[in-house]
Amino acid sequence: MSILIKGGYYAISKKVLNITLKPTMMWHNGIILTNKNKVISTLNPWNENKLVLVNYSDTAVLLLNNSIIYENKKLFNYNLDLSLMDDDFILNKDRFHACIEYNFIKCNR
């Protein structure tokens, strides 16, 4: 079973959602997809995976652990697809929040 998590730019609220996945054994592999389902990168569950969307003057870039993995002329959203080791991960809210951090940032665009 897998879980899909959406991050990036939310146009209605004008906020950017950055996600940090803490090291865990609850999922065994993951991928980052654009909103057009293009695979950008893979995720390693044994490392901290910090995804940050940064908006420069004419370009938006997605950083994974401070390395650029994707760029676009406009702010965008992305999906994380995590393959779970245990289905109980989704059902137990405390376990879910123990390994995922969300950070909303106001965007002036």
Side-chain angles (χ1 to χ4, degrees):
M1 178 178 235
S2 67
I3 184 170
L4 192 69
I5 302 170
K6 186 174 279 296
Y9 181 62
Y10 289 83
I12 294 172
S13 62
K14 296 192 188 290
K15 291 183 179 178
V16 171
L17 173 61
N18 294 322
I19 299 172
T20 300
L21 300 170
K22 297 177 186 175
T24 184
M25 295 298 290
M26 294 181 196
W27 53 278
H28 57 86
N29 66 23
I31 56 174
I32 305 168
L33 305 157
T34 65
N35 55 355
K36 295 181 181 178
N37 289 331
K38 177 183 172 188
V39 175
I40 301 172
S41 183
T42 58
L43 298 169
N44 184 339
W46 298 282
N47 297 332
E48 181 175 80
N49 296 283
K50 186 171 185 172
L51 292 144
V52 178
L53 182 61
V54 179
N55 187 32
Y56 295 107
S57 59
D58 63 345
T59 305
V61 296
L62 182 61
L63 304 173
L64 173 60
N65 299 331
N66 295 324
S67 297
I68 297 174
I69 59 169
Y70 184 74
E71 64 180 67
N72 198 342
K73 296 213 181 276
K74 296 181 181 179
L75 287 168
F76 56 92
N77 54 12
Y78 58 89
N79 296 315
L80 305 179
D81 187 358
L82 306 177
S83 298
L84 303 179
M85 300 283 277
D86 182 7
D87 294 346
D88 187 44
F89 176 68
I90 297 172
L91 303 174
N92 188 329
K93 191 165 76 169
D94 293 332
R95 288 180 70 194
F96 183 78
H97 290 292
C99 64
I100 298 175
E101 289 181 3
Y102 297 98
N103 184 14
F104 279 100
I105 298 174
K106 185 88 171 144
C107 186
N108 295 328
R109 193 167 207 201

